[in-house]
Coordinates of all heavy atoms in Angstrom, one line a residue:
A128 N 99.1 121.9 104.3 CA 100.1 122.8 103.6 C 99.4 124.0 103.0 O 99.9 125.1 103.1 CB 100.9 122.0 102.6
D129 N 98.2 123.7 102.4 CA 97.5 124.8 101.7 C 97.0 125.8 102.8 O 97.0 127.0 102.6 CB 96.3 124.2 100.9 CG 96.8 123.5 99.6 OD1 98.0 123.6 99.3 OD2 96.0 122.9 99.0
R130 N 96.4 125.3 103.9 CA 95.9 126.2 104.9 C 97.0 127.0 105.5 O 96.8 128.2 105.9 CB 95.2 125.3 106.0 CG 93.8 125.1 105.8 CD 93.1 124.6 107.1 NE 93.8 123.6 107.8 CZ 93.6 122.3 107.7 NH1 92.7 121.8 106.8 NH2 94.3 121.4 108.4
Q131 N 98.2 126.4 105.7 CA 99.3 127.1 106.3 C 100.1 127.9 105.3 O 101.1 128.4 105.7 CB 100.1 126.2 107.2 CG 99.3 125.5 108.3 CD 100.1 124.4 109.0 OE1 101.2 124.0 108.6 NE2 99.6 123.9 110.1
R132 N 99.7 127.8 104.1 CA 100.5 128.5 103.0 C 101.9 128.1 103.0 O 102.8 129.0 102.9 CB 100.3 130.0 103.1 CG 98.8 130.4 102.8 CD 98.7 131.9 102.9 NE 97.5 132.7 102.7 CZ 96.3 132.3 102.8 NH1 96.0 131.1 103.0 NH2 95.3 133.2 102.6
R133 N 102.2 126.8 103.1 CA 103.6 126.4 103.2 C 104.2 126.1 101.8 O 105.3 125.6 101.7 CB 103.7 125.1 104.0 CG 103.5 125.4 105.5 CD 103.8 124.1 106.3 NE 102.9 123.1 105.8 CZ 102.9 121.8 106.3 NH1 103.8 121.5 107.2 NH2 102.0 120.9 105.8
G134 N 103.5 126.4 100.8 CA 104.0 126.2 99.4 C 103.4 124.9 98.8 O 102.7 124.2 99.4
D135 N 103.7 124.7 97.5 CA 103.2 123.7 96.7 C 103.9 122.3 97.1 O 105.1 122.2 96.9 CB 103.4 124.0 95.3 CG 102.8 122.9 94.4 OD1 101.9 122.1 94.8 OD2 103.1 122.9 93.2
I136 N 103.1 121.4 97.6 CA 103.6 120.1 97.8 C 103.0 119.0 96.9 O 102.8 117.9 97.3 CB 103.5 119.6 99.3 CG1 102.1 119.5 99.8 CG2 104.3 120.6 100.2 CD1 101.9 118.8 101.1
S137 N 102.5 119.5 95.7 CA 101.9 118.5 94.8 C 102.9 117.4 94.3 O 102.4 116.4 93.8 CB 101.3 119.3 93.6 OG 102.3 119.9 92.8
W138 N 104.2 117.6 94.5 CA 105.1 116.6 94.2 C 104.8 115.3 95.0 O 105.1 114.2 94.6 CB 106.6 117.0 94.5 CG 106.8 117.3 95.9 CD1 106.7 118.5 96.5 CD2 107.2 116.4 96.9 NE1 107.0 118.4 97.8 CE2 107.3 117.1 98.1 CE3 107.5 115.0 96.9 CZ2 107.7 116.5 99.3 CZ3 107.8 114.4 98.1 CH2 107.9 115.2 99.3
L139 N 104.3 115.5 96.2 CA 103.9 114.4 97.1 C 102.8 113.5 96.4 O 102.9 112.3 96.4 CB 103.5 114.9 98.5 CG 103.2 113.8 99.5 CD1 104.3 112.8 99.7 CD2 102.8 114.5 100.8
S140 N 101.8 114.2 96.0 CA 100.7 113.5 95.3 C 101.2 112.8 94.0 O 100.9 111.6 93.8 CB 99.6 114.5 94.8 OG 99.1 115.3 95.8
D141 N 102.1 113.5 93.3 CA 102.7 112.9 92.1 C 103.4 111.6 92.5 O 103.3 110.6 91.8 CB 103.6 113.9 91.4 CG 104.1 113.5 90.1 OD1 103.5 112.5 89.5 OD2 105.0 114.1 89.6
A142 N 104.2 111.6 93.5 CA 105.0 110.5 93.9 C 104.1 109.3 94.3 O 104.3 108.2 93.8 CB 105.9 110.8 95.1
V143 N 103.0 109.6 95.0 CA 102.1 108.5 95.5 C 101.3 108.0 94.3 O 101.1 106.7 94.2 CB 101.3 109.0 96.6 CG1 100.2 107.9 97.0 CG2 102.1 109.2 97.9
F144 N 100.9 108.8 93.4 CA 100.2 108.3 92.2 C 101.1 107.4 91.4 O 100.6 106.4 90.9 CB 99.7 109.5 91.3 CG 98.6 110.4 91.9 CD1 98.6 111.7 91.6 CD2 97.7 109.9 92.8 CE1 97.6 112.5 92.1 CE2 96.7 110.7 93.3 CZ 96.6 112.0 93.0
R145 N 102.3 107.8 91.3 CA 103.3 107.0 90.5 C 103.5 105.6 91.2 O 103.6 104.6 90.5 CB 104.6 107.7 90.3 CG 104.5 108.8 89.3 CD 105.8 109.7 89.2 NE 105.6 110.8 88.4 CZ 105.9 110.8 87.1 NH1 106.4 109.7 86.5 NH2 105.8 111.9 86.4

Side-chain angles (χ1 to χ4, degrees):
D129 289 350
R130 270 196 314 267
Q131 297 173 353
R132 295 180 178 22
R133 288 187 302 177
D135 182 18
I136 63 164
S137 63
W138 64 267
L139 181 57
S140 306
D141 190 14
V143 172
F144 293 149
R145 288 173 185 268

